[in-house]
């Protein structure tokens, strides 16, 4: 049987929008008479009763807009009702979306713009990332750019009417780097590109070593015929540094390449000048009497280039490990599916599976796509997606997730999501975007990096002038001190401090069924001091059942259930589902209801056989029906008794009187008490928010162990409650799963959406708990704290290396024997970057509920080790 659905849609601005939404909705079987109006943001269509409202809203979301099914009825809903619904529900949702966009540093208009990810190559440090950002921002139509040095990706938001992806790629190339369009989930291409870069660094290192090692001997005599090898070393193996410096100069700035190019050029050209002067003075191209030509430092430039390239190779190898999460997720994808068509079963490539295909799964096989079980039963291992180790039983009607493993039985299922719509594909997309994002703390590193290289050049010049002019040191001594300062101080380690930790942290979260959407929610989680939990579906199972039916008049209980269920079958609320389910279970007949409408925060109303009925809470009876409070007082004792037992009471009334009560109970989840207690032990305040009356709310809160209760809160008022808490100065997280939670999720400092919730809630939340286990809220907070701890450790050591290294390189401690040759300074600089990335990799040992002792000890051990390395290098320099 078909129904008329009325829609409210936000984001449309022209006829093209209408066509896009119409095309997407037309893909749903049974949909007809689609009418979309961009002018007033409304729509209507005809759909079979079995097509859920969620299916409709998902289609609108895929089209790129926000949609809400206002009602399902056979007659046009009055415009006043539409306006009221827009004011109370739709507008807060739109505001929630705009708040999320604002948090991302974007403007509301950007939601209509295109967004692409570019895979980058050729970057050496965070300064390179800054150059690319500046180059892309100069392109007309580009409104937002975020370049992640560690992930080697750029996120670009742009107006497609003003520029193209090709122009963005050319802008990157103009900045001196390479770019290509990054395809979500294209891990194989990224792996090949990364391995190609690693091979290039290795080949350059080997070539450099071959050309450099002979200098250990030849530098004693400085044979003239070895000069071509030195030139090749400087300008062929080291060509990349000159190219990078030229790119930065075109942008009127400096980067790491500038430092290496300046340092090696200083050693090379000074040596060349000394060599030419010696030849002009003596007429000989070799040292006289077998002696070394004085003040020749070709080997310094050669080894410096070799060691820096060795460091970049080590860094590239180590950085590759930070993206293991994407590799693992991509490895879960099935390659083929066993599809049954017309009684014939055949294996087909996964990309040829379409929605509606019947797929056969045998014991031990991987489930290829998302779907719903048709027949058969089995248990499925979903640990690779949800992190839950216990297999889940699957019977007809149950949903299955692509990439999970069927254990023992065989079954058939209908494909409901394929390609980029599957759960796995969406997880990969979220993790990719998170790993390419920035945390607010990154702004600190960016500010330092922006001034770092110019300051280092200034310090190097000051070092030279100090030794040469103030202390009267030789030109060679002063230049080597200048060169050592130039090459040891590099922003690489500082640039890697934040993104590597975020990449490992978000990947580890995905491994345990926690999707963190980026650096901002990751950082926000560690600052949370209060958490507000929605009740239904979050603290509770969200599957309420009818427990009591009470008559207030001569009407029998069966008639009360029949009237109530006939009204509620048109509603999407969990309580409505419980009443309809109870009626079917008791074989109570339902009748058609006319003039149905839902009144948010109150209940529903509709007509049966010419009589209007109302089903809802106390506010429904007094505010909408208009009955006196005396009518409520007559049954208040019965209502109170049910509510004190933790039951939600729905009141059925006609315009003249109250007919009866239906009590519905929703039990709390098994993990709720444990999760609440664990959060409280971490000195985090826990609140429960619900639309239920005070007595019912208090009863549920007592069961959960929650002392702070916000009861009788209308959907549109939840965000306001969050705002009031924030005004006290504390950071607030909101945990919810319903469409009514979206505004509150956006208002909170951190929105956490349960994986079983609606798409709107999951889109609004900054963190998604896939397996619907409240204990994972604490796991997310612990992971956040450990990741942020790693970022701060990385930043400290990145700065510590420079604070320790620059004075030694400047030869300020030459009096106590601490001298650092430029080539060893270059190697020390490279090892500092490797140590920062290695420190981030200790996050891989994170496990929920356990202390990561090795990760806690590692940074201190590495600090001691690096200090020893500095002293060893200084000793070697003195011996040399």
């Amino acid at each position: 049987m078909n129904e008329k659905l009325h829609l409210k849609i936000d984001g449309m601005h022209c006829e093209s929008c209408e066509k896009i939404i119409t095309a997407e909705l037309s893909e749903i079987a049974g949909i007809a008479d689609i009418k979309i109006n961009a002018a007033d943001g409304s729509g209507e269509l005809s759909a079979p009763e079995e097509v859920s409202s969620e299916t409709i809203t998902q289609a609108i979301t895929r089209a790129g807009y926000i949609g809400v099914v206002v009602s399902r009825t056979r007659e046009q809903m009055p415009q006043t009702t539409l306006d009221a619904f827009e004011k109370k529900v739709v507008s807060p949702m739109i505001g929630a979306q705009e708040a999320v966009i604002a948090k991302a540093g974007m403007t509301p208009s950007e939601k209509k713009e295109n967004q692409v990810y570019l895979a980058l190559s050729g970057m050496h440090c965070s300064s390179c990332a800054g150059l690319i950002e500046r180059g892309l921002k100069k392109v007309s139509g580009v409104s937002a750019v975020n370049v992640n040095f560690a992930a080697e990706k750029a996120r670009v938001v742009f107006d497609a009417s003003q520029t193209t992806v090709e122009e963005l790629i050319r802008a990157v190339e103009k900045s001196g780097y390479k770019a290509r369009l990054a395809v979500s989930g294209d891990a194989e291409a990224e792996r090949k590109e990364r391995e190609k870069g690693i091979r290039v660094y290795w080949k350059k290192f080997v070539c450099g070593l071959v050309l450099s090692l002979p200098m250990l001997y030849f530098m004693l005599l400085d044979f003239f015929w070895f000069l071509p090898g030195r030139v090749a070393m400087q300008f062929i193996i080291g060509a990349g540094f000159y190219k990078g410096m030229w790119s930065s100069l075109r942008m009127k700035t400096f980067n790491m390449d500038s430092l290496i190019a300046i340092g090696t050029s200083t050693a090379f050209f000074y040596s060349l000048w000394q060599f030419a002067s010696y030849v002009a003075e003596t007429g000989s191209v070799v040292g006289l009497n077998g002696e070394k030509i004085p003040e020749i430092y070709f080997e310094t430039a050669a080894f410096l280039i070799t060691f820096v390239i060795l460091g970049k190779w080590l860094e590239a190898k180590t950085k590759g490990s930070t993206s293991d999460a994407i590799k693992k997720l991509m490895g879960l994808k099935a390659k083929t599916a066993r599809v049954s068509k017309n009684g014939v079963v055949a294996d087909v490539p996964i990309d040829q599976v379409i929605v509606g295909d019947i797929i056969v799964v045998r014991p031990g096989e991987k489930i290829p796509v998302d779907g719903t079980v048709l027949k058969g039963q089995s248990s499925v291992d979903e640990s690779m997606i949800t992190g839950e180790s216990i297999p889940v039983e699957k019977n007809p009607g149950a949903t299955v997730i692509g990439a999970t493993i069927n254990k023992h039985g065989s079954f058939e299922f209908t494909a409901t999501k394929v390609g980029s719509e599957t759960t796995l594909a969406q997880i990969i997309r979220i993790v990719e975007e998170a790993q390419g994002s920035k945390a607010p703390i990154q702004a600190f590193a960016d500010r330092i990096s922006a001034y770092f290289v110019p300051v280092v050049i200034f310090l190097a010049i000051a070092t030279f002038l100090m030794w040469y002019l103030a202390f009267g040191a030789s030109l060679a001594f002063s230049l080597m001190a200048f060169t050592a300062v130039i090459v040891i101080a590099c922003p690489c380690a500082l640039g890697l401090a934040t993104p590597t930790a975020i990449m490992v942290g978000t990947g580890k979260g995905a491994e345990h069924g926690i999707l963190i959407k980026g650096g901002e929610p990751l950082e926000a989680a560690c600052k949370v001091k209060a958490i507000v939990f929605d009740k239904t579906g979050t603290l509770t199972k969200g599957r309420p059942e009818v427990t009591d039916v009470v008559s207030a008049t001569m009407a029998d209980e069966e008639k009360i259930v029949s009237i109530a269920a006939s009204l509620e079958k048109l509603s999407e609320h969990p309580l409505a589902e419980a009443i309809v389910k109870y009626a079917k279970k008791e074989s109570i007949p339902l009748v058609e209801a006319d003039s149905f409408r839902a009144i948010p925060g109150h209940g529903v109303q509709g007509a049966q056989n010419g009589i209007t009925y109302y089903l809802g809470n106390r506010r429904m009876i007094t505010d909408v029906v208009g009955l006196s409070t005396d009518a409520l007082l007559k049954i208040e004792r019965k209502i109170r008794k049910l509510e004190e037992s933790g039951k939600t009471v729905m009141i059925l009334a006609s315009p003249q009187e109250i007919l009866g009560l239906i009590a519905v109970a929703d039990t709390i989840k098994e993990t709720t008490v444990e999760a609440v207690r664990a959060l409280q032990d971490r000195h985090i305040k826990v609140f429960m928010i619900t639309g239920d009356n005070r007595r019912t709310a208090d009863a549920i809160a007592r069961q959960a162990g929650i002392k702070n209760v916000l009861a009788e809160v209308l959907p549109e008022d939840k965000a306001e409650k969050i705002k009031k808490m924030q005004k006290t100065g504390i950071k607030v997280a909101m945990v919810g799963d319903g469409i009514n939670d979206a505004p509150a999720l956006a208002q909170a400092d951190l929105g956490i959406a349960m994986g079983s919730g609606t798409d709107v809630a999951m889109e609004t939340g900054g963190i998604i708990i896939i397996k619907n286990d409240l204990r994972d809220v604490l796991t997310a907070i612990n992971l956040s704290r450990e990741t942020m701890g790693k970022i701060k450790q990385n930043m400290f050591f990145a700065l510590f290396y420079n604070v320790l290294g620059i004075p030694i390189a400047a030869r300020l401690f030459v009096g106590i024997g601490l001298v650092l040759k430029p080539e060893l300074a270059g190697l020390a600089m490279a090892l500092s970057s490797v140590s920062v990335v290695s420190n981030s990799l200790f996050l891989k040992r994170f496990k929920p509920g356990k202390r990561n002792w090795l990760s806690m000890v590692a940074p201190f051990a590495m600090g001691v080790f690096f200090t020893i390395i500095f002293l060893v290098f200084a000793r070697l320099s003195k011996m040399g």
Side-chain angles (χ1 to χ4, degrees), residues 300-537:
T300 295
F303 276 109
L304 177 53
I305 291 173
T306 301
F307 287 151
V308 170
I309 290 174
L310 171 62
K312 299 310 294 181
W313 176 76
L314 291 170
E315 181 185 310
K317 289 278 289 183
T318 313
K319 273 168 58 180
S321 300
T322 62
S323 58
D324 282 347
I326 295 292
K327 297 176 189 175
K328 290 179 181 178
L329 290 170
M330 289 301 301
L332 296 177
K333 293 177 65 175
K335 302 294 188 296
T336 60
R338 186 172 289 108
V339 178
S340 175
K341 290 186 177 180
N342 301 320
V344 178
V345 179
D347 289 342
V348 301
I350 193 69
D351 56 2
Q352 293 183 14
V353 177
I354 61 175
V355 174
D357 276 352
I358 307 299
I359 299 174
V360 180
V361 183
R362 295 171 183 167
E365 291 184 342
K366 185 175 291 186
I367 297 171
V369 296
D370 297 3
T372 304
V373 177
L374 282 178
K375 61 181 180 180
Q377 58 183 20
S378 182
S379 58
V380 176
D381 179 3
E382 297 182 343
S383 59
M384 62 284 297
I385 298 293
T386 65
E388 180 57 63
S389 59
I390 302 175
V392 181
E393 294 298 321
K394 300 295 181 181
N395 295 299
T399 57
V400 290
I401 304 172
T404 56
I405 306 296
N406 181 33
K407 299 296 285 184
H408 305 297
S410 297
F411 61 88
E412 295 181 7
F413 73 93
T414 304
T416 57
K417 293 182 180 179
V418 300
S420 61
E421 296 298 318
T422 64
T423 300
L424 177 62
Q426 292 182 55
I427 290 174
I428 292 173
R429 175 182 58 81
I430 289 173
V431 174
E432 282 181 331
E433 291 180 358
Q435 293 191 339
S437 68
K438 285 185 179 182
I441 197 173
Q442 176 70 29
F444 171 72
D446 290 344
R447 285 195 299 270
I448 294 178
S449 297
Y451 299 101
F452 194 89
V453 176
V455 169
V456 167
I457 294 175
F458 171 79
L459 290 175
I461 294 172
T463 298
F464 171 80
L465 295 175
M466 176 188 70
W467 283 112
Y468 189 64
L469 297 179
F471 298 145
S474 67
L475 180 61
F477 182 94
S478 302
L479 282 175
M480 290 306 100
F482 166 86
T483 302
V485 172
I486 281 284
V487 299
I488 199 171
C490 175
C492 290
L494 191 62
L496 290 167
T498 299
T500 52
I502 288 177
M503 291 174 72
V504 179
T506 53
K508 198 65 183 177
E511 183 180 323
H512 291 287
I514 301 168
L515 297 184
I516 304 170
K517 290 189 175 181
E520 185 176 353
L522 184 66
E523 183 173 337
C526 73
K527 300 176 181 178
V528 167
K529 297 299 180 183
I531 298 183
V532 180
F533 286 96
D534 176 53
K535 181 181 76 72
T536 305

Side-chain angles (χ1 to χ4, degrees), residues 216-274:
L216 293 175
Y217 171 73
F218 286 120
M219 70 181 183
L220 300 175
L221 301 177
D222 285 304
F223 289 137
F224 171 75
W225 52 82
F226 197 72
L227 187 59
R230 295 161 180 167
V231 173
M233 185 70 201
Q234 184 71 29
F235 298 106
I236 296 178
I237 303 300
F241 300 119
Y242 286 103
K243 183 179 178 182
M245 182 178 71
W246 174 244
S247 298
S248 67
L249 288 176
R250 287 167 62 187
M251 293 288 180
K252 299 178 181 179
T253 186
F254 296 96
N255 62 359
M256 187 210 80
D257 291 329
S258 305
L259 297 178
I260 303 303
I262 291 172
T264 58
S265 296
T266 299
F268 180 85
F269 286 108
Y270 174 75
S271 299
L272 189 61
W273 177 67
Q274 285 292 102

Side-chain angles (χ1 to χ4, degrees), residues 472-616:
S474 67
L475 180 61
F477 182 94
S478 302
L479 282 175
M480 290 306 100
F482 166 86
T483 302
V485 172
I486 281 284
V487 299
I488 199 171
C490 175
C492 290
L494 191 62
L496 290 167
T498 299
T500 52
I502 288 177
M503 291 174 72
V504 179
T506 53
K508 198 65 183 177
E511 183 180 323
H512 291 287
I514 301 168
L515 297 184
I516 304 170
K517 290 189 175 181
E520 185 176 353
L522 184 66
E523 183 173 337
C526 73
K527 300 176 181 178
V528 167
K529 297 299 180 183
I531 298 183
V532 180
F533 286 96
D534 176 53
K535 181 181 76 72
T536 305
T538 303
L539 291 172
T540 64
K541 294 178 179 178
R543 296 190 297 272
E545 297 180 351
V546 173
T547 58
D548 302 88
V549 180
V550 179
S551 176
T553 63
M554 298 299 293
D556 57 33
E557 295 178 0
E558 183 173 314
K559 183 177 180 181
I560 291 172
V561 174
S562 176
I563 296 172
S566 299
L567 291 175
E568 293 286 32
K569 75 173 183 176
L570 300 175
S571 173
E572 297 291 320
H573 197 281
L575 297 181
E577 184 180 345
I579 295 173
V580 173
K581 185 177 179 181
Y582 178 80
K584 291 179 178 179
K585 177 184 175 181
E586 298 296 323
S587 301
I588 297 174
L590 306 184
V591 299
E592 294 301 321
D594 299 320
S595 303
F596 171 83
R597 71 170 182 144
I599 305 173
H602 293 78
V604 297
Q605 75 175 63
Q608 298 177 28
N609 301 319
I611 302 175
T612 300
Y613 294 101
Y614 304 86
L615 182 67

